[in-house]
């Protein structure tokens, strides 16, 4: 499930009915993504390549990002040749569920 929520810019003391966006205002959005896999029996997980962050540019600045992976994993970050942020999650042991949450 991908959920996109706009962060409205209110005038001071305003309400949703008073929403104002002056010219040249920066729009901010919050994106949440959760992926869950269930397995019938415990499995060993190979490394997973995760691309869950937008590519930053002059026009797009990432203000914050959190990544939660269950079961616990060692996560290494790298950038590909196009500037995309890629996380590689490496697991040990077996599990019957994999959960990845990105906010």
């Amino acid at each position: 499930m991908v959920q996109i929520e706009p962060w409205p810019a209110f005038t001071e003391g305003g309400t949703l009915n008073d929403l104002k966006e002056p010219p040249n205002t920066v729009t901010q959005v919050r994106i949440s993504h959760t992926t869950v896999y269930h397995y019938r029996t415990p499995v060993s997980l190979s490394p997973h390549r995760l691309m869950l962050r937008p590519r930053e540019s002059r026009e797009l600045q990432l203000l914050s990002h959190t990544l939660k992976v269950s079961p616990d994993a060692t996560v290494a970050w790298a950038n590909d040749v196009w500037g995309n942020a890629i996380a590689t999650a490496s697991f040990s042991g077996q599990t019957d569920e994999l959960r990845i949450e990105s906010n």
Side-chain angles (χ1 to χ4, degrees):
M1 172 177 67
V2 175
Q3 184 178 16
I4 300 176
E5 302 172 15
W7 290 351
F10 297 102
T11 58
E12 186 165 40
T15 66
L16 187 58
N17 295 330
D18 301 321
L19 182 62
K20 304 237 186 285
E21 189 168 338
N24 301 320
T25 297
V26 174
T27 301
Q28 295 181 1
V29 295
R30 179 182 307 156
I31 300 174
S32 298
H33 176 89
T34 301
T35 299
V36 181
Y37 294 100
H38 297 278
Y39 304 98
R40 290 184 186 162
T41 60
V43 297
S44 296
L45 298 170
S46 298
H48 280 59
R49 184 175 181 209
L50 310 172
M51 299 178 73
L52 298 168
R53 290 173 49 169
R55 180 175 47 222
E56 293 188 72
S57 67
R58 190 178 61 144
E59 294 85 18
L60 180 82
Q61 179 184 6
L62 185 64
L63 299 177
S64 68
H65 179 256
T66 59
L67 177 64
K68 296 179 186 176
V69 180
S70 177
D72 288 337
T74 301
V75 178
W77 287 92
N79 288 337
D80 65 13
V81 296
W82 297 281
N84 296 303
I86 301 170
T88 302
S90 300
F91 305 90
S92 61
Q94 294 192 325
T95 186
D96 60 357
E97 180 182 280
L98 171 61
R99 177 179 290 271
I100 301 165
E101 296 179 33
S102 177
N103 295 301

